[in-house]
Amino acid sequence: LSMGRCFFLIFEKSLRLLLQACGLYDLAQRESVKVSMSLDGAYYFKDRMHESTGMKVTDARGCHPITKQPLLIRNIDETETFCNVQSHEVCCIMIVADARDKKELYQDVFADFYKWGESLRMEGLPESIHGPALKPFDLTHCSDMKASWHLSNRGGGCKNSIFFCHLCSCTSHSLLSHSTGDARCERCKLRRKEKCYHYDVCDN
């Protein structure tokens, strides 16, 4: 890449290995298993960072790959305690990028991984030379706000982006528009506000 270096694991083989380590491989052949896609990184210095994305097991039916105790519980001195699901021991990094912090890093490098994740959610893993078919996964995404903006190509400062919210259809052009009369929302009518700046979101 012109912006830096990237290292890739084979997605399918890595996921199958992670499921085997957590005791969920046989179950995944019969029913849906919970997994999560995660992305995070940190700066070395200005405009240069390391960014990683991967998969982690979040299904409570699994076990810890090293201790073989229940995934979310630890038994220490006969006392059960909840453990941190963020542990790197139940995660598998799929891509590591040593690169400049650019939107293209997300759209050109990480986009294929997230498209693969969407196929896991919709179709599961088909049978291949790496193993049998696995059922569609119960998949969630964990990322910070900046990654959500770049991956969805929506969001940012409302002065700079038309679609400044990655969760709804609000646009920067509609921020200063208002309704009057019966077009006002019930709250503004109740409070006797002549101008209503509220509008429905997340309804389409």
Side-chain angles (χ1 to χ4, degrees):
L1 289 176
S2 59
M3 66 190 79
R5 298 181 298 171
C6 294
F7 305 89
F8 297 81
L9 273 69
I10 300 174
F11 300 158
E12 181 183 345
K13 289 181 68 174
S14 301
L15 177 58
R16 289 182 185 274
L17 180 61
L18 182 61
L19 293 170
Q20 290 170 3
C22 293
L24 293 168
Y25 193 59
D26 291 338
L27 183 65
Q29 297 173 45
R30 303 189 303 271
E31 56 186 276
S32 183
V33 167
K34 293 181 180 180
V35 294
S36 179
M37 304 181 81
S38 183
L39 186 151
D40 204 0
Y43 283 96
Y44 297 123
F45 43 82
K46 183 179 179 181
D47 204 32
R48 188 75 179 194
M49 66 187 306
H50 64 86
E51 190 91 20
S52 301
T53 186
M55 193 82 71
K56 62 182 176 182
V57 172
T58 56
D59 200 306
R61 296 170 294 180
C63 65
H64 190 279
I66 298 174
T67 66
K68 299 305 178 183
Q69 293 186 19
L71 188 62
L72 305 181
I73 298 175
R74 290 290 178 276
N75 192 326
I76 302 174
D77 297 330
E78 299 184 356
T79 301
E80 287 189 346
T81 60
F82 287 100
C83 69
N84 187 0
V85 74
Q86 291 288 88
S87 171
H88 67 277
E89 295 169 346
V90 295
C91 301
C92 181
I93 291 178
M94 305 287 194
I95 304 174
V96 179
D98 172 17
R100 297 180 63 195
D101 183 23
K102 297 289 186 181
K103 182 183 290 188
E104 290 75 18
L105 176 63
Y106 296 83
Q107 296 177 344
D108 298 340
V109 177
F110 296 135
D112 288 342
F113 176 65
Y114 280 87
K115 288 178 184 176
W116 177 73
E118 183 64 12
S119 71
L120 290 180
R121 186 181 69 84
M122 299 296 295
E123 305 163 9
L125 268 180
E127 182 179 359
S128 70
I129 59 172
H130 302 302
L134 303 182
K135 296 294 184 181
F137 289 83
D138 184 349
L139 183 71
T140 56
H141 296 268
C142 302
S143 60
D144 58 20
M145 183 69 76
K146 185 175 183 180
S148 298
W149 290 350
H150 287 334
L151 289 168
S152 64
N153 201 26
R154 295 169 69 104
C158 60
K159 292 182 179 179
N160 303 319
S161 303
I162 295 176
F163 291 98
F164 62 90
C165 178
H166 68 285
L167 296 175
C168 71
S169 56
C170 298
T171 65
S172 55
H173 302 310
S174 63
L175 285 179
L176 298 180
S177 63
H178 62 268
S179 303
T180 59
D182 291 338
R184 294 172 298 165
C185 71
E186 294 301 321
R187 182 179 181 183
C188 286
K189 291 177 182 177
L190 183 63
R191 296 187 176 192
R192 298 180 180 178
K193 299 287 187 180
E194 294 184 3
K195 296 180 180 180
C196 173
Y197 290 91
H198 304 125
Y199 49 93
D200 293 331
V201 297
C202 302
D203 62 343
N204 53 13

